[in-house]
Amino acid sequence: MLWVKAFHIVFVASWFAGLFYLPRIFVNLAMVAPDSVAERERLLLMAHKLLRFTTILAVPALALGLWLWLGYGIGLQGPGNGWMHAKLTIVLLVVGYHHACGVLLRKLANGQSQRSHVWFRWFNEAPVVLLLMAVVLVVVKPF
């Protein structure tokens, strides 16, 4: 079980690293001058590769978490396991954020996004808040 936990933590941390950097590329894309085609294409390529990589990392992170939850019963038994429900809610929010990154990337690639670089900067901060909440729930288990 400790190996499963260790790999789960590594994949989750790597997944979050990608989710921290991907919106930063969106900020740069929103700031590219309209006549700078090569820069825009390079940033789009970087964003597509990073999204693919974070998706690949998300699959084992979620699978190992599911294995720990259902296979070992972590957070299923006894009173005081409300932290697990809160953690699962955060996991769903992170999956939704990941999906939103994919939607935004498609819009940026098609030239349909009218968002400013300031909006993308705020969007970039969302996973930080989710990560802090997840760490508190996993380490402190306040419920």
Side-chain angles (χ1 to χ4, degrees):
M1 176 174 74
L2 292 177
W3 282 102
V4 176
K5 278 185 183 180
F7 283 120
H8 173 66
I9 291 168
V10 167
F11 281 112
V12 168
S14 300
W15 180 27
F16 265 97
L19 288 180
F20 286 150
Y21 192 66
L22 185 60
R24 182 62 210 166
I25 296 174
F26 296 165
V27 171
N28 294 336
L29 273 165
M31 295 175 69
V32 169
D35 61 339
S36 184
V37 176
E39 182 181 6
R40 184 178 185 283
E41 291 304 315
R42 185 179 67 248
L43 288 169
L44 283 171
L45 178 65
M46 290 170 56
H48 280 288
K49 287 184 175 187
L50 185 57
L51 180 63
R52 187 175 335 123
F53 185 66
T54 55
T55 301
I56 290 169
L57 290 170
V59 171
L62 294 169
L64 290 168
L66 192 62
W67 185 3
L68 287 168
W69 182 42
L70 298 175
Y72 289 102
I74 294 176
L76 287 177
Q77 302 156 356
N81 285 322
W83 65 271
M84 180 57 81
H85 294 22
K87 181 184 169 191
L88 291 173
T89 300
I90 291 172
V91 168
L92 289 176
L93 289 172
V94 173
V95 169
Y97 184 83
H98 186 126
H99 176 71
C101 284
V103 170
L104 286 170
L105 180 55
R106 280 190 293 280
K107 286 183 178 181
L108 283 164
N110 294 333
Q112 297 172 338
S113 178
Q114 300 299 319
R115 306 272 187 195
S116 71
H117 68 94
V118 175
W119 186 90
F120 283 113
R121 286 179 197 275
W122 281 104
F123 183 77
N124 189 30
E125 299 303 321
V128 176
V129 174
L130 293 172
L131 178 65
L132 289 174
M133 291 180 356
V135 167
V136 167
L137 288 170
V138 171
V139 175
V140 179
K141 297 179 183 168
F143 302 105

